[in-house]
Amino acid sequence: MSAETDGQGRLYIPKDVREKYGEKYHIVTYDDRIELVPVADDPLAAVREAAGELRDASIDDIRADIEAEAKAEAREKGDDR
């Protein structure tokens, strides 16, 4: 998908994209490109949803999960740490 800006610099975002991702975006600039990152209508609710089970987990439980995941990845890659 591609788009062009109009004479005033406005960018048209197709309706199906707006319906999927919303009406507000952060503009992230890089040396060779830009990205539009959707902004949640309720950012705090989005963080809570993303955190899921972690909200009720202890720090020790979170550390244990991270360590177990790292060890599993290392085994898959043949790393014996």
Side-chain angles (χ1 to χ4, degrees):
M1 177 183 314
S2 64
E4 294 181 17
T5 58
D6 66 11
Q8 295 181 337
R10 293 176 294 207
L11 182 66
Y12 169 76
I13 298 174
K15 182 179 181 181
D16 59 328
V17 174
R18 294 189 319 269
E19 287 175 345
K20 182 175 181 178
Y21 296 106
E23 299 284 333
K24 294 183 181 180
Y25 299 85
H26 286 291
I27 299 172
V28 182
T29 60
Y30 299 94
D31 289 336
D32 60 342
R33 68 185 188 282
I34 63 168
E35 291 182 6
L36 298 177
V37 180
V39 175
D41 290 333
D42 184 352
L44 188 54
V47 169
R48 285 184 179 136
E49 183 180 330
E53 304 169 356
L54 294 178
R55 284 186 7 187
D56 299 324
S58 71
I59 290 176
D60 290 335
D61 290 342
I62 295 170
R63 283 190 180 126
D65 287 347
I66 292 169
E67 186 175 334
E69 188 174 325
K71 286 181 179 179
E73 275 186 35
R75 278 192 298 275
E76 285 177 14
K77 293 180 180 178
D79 192 345
D80 60 356
R81 285 189 243 171

